[in-house]
Amino acid sequence: MAPRVLSIAGSDSCGGAGIQADLKTLASLGCHGMTAITAVTAQNTQGVIRVMPVAPDMVRAQAEAVLSDIGVDAVKIGMLATPENAEVVGALLASLDGVPSVLDPVMAAQSGDGLNASSTAEALVRYVMPEVALMTPNIPEAERLTGLSVTSLNGMEEAARRLVSMGCANVLLKGGHFAGDACPDLLLEGSTGQVTRFTAPRIDTRNNHGTGCTLASALAAFLARGYSFPEAASKAKAYITGALKGAVSQRLGQGHGPLEHFHGLRN
């Protein structure tokens, strides 16, 4: 049976991020993807036009419907849109004993458009962070959550340790916002303090819409298969590097296009 992964996130009408990116990633990695949609967005490669949150009781109903029937091996959490949805998702995760979960704390689209209000970010910290196995912020998200300025590799480790002290079990801090030819990531395992660093060459492409969603989904897929956090992070890093490389020659839209989620199959 294929590993079962539930994505709790927003819908992206242009198909590059959110639920759509999650399902593509999970399918390409041999998992059965399920969804609980937290918001419907009107967006394209150039930006977010409108966001309509889904009511918390409907978010809960979607998740409970699939969990009570199909079950789950891992959970990926993306944009939650409202503090009420964050509270619902935190309670849901608390009931899933032993199921690994990955939180991508989405706060802005690739275009820079905000997707989560400050009250929702506060609710993430209060309700969701303590319940997830792994959190995957990028540099701006880590700065917003911790109040630190992250400008170096040492600063990445300091921010990761601050997030663990705030209640997150494990942190994969993404360094793609740094300048340079490489994209460094840092995994901090909270229980041991072990730090593992990953790096990959920077791919020169405008088609990077949905990179955070895709990485978090790939991590959930590999955790669902039983890999350790360092193994899952290494494999997810390789997957997203391939997806960026595969998207270099694509021409979809006039802004930031999507990744090539099925690069492994097409190659």
Side-chain angles (χ1 to χ4, degrees), residues 88-115:
V88 162
V89 170
L92 175 72
L93 294 173
S95 70
L96 299 177
D97 187 38
V99 176
S101 53
V102 180
L103 169 64
D104 177 23
V106 181
M107 295 181 184
Q110 180 66 43
S111 61
D113 295 292
L115 292 172

Side-chain angles (χ1 to χ4, degrees), residues 124-156:
L124 274 178
V125 173
R126 179 177 180 182
Y127 298 113
V128 183
M129 272 179 52
E131 304 299 339
V132 297
L134 180 64
M135 185 177 181
T136 64
N138 58 30
I139 296 296
E141 290 162 348
E143 290 179 329
R144 179 173 173 181
L145 290 166
T146 64
L148 298 173
S149 176
V150 181
T151 59
S152 66
L153 296 179
N154 287 338
M156 288 180 71

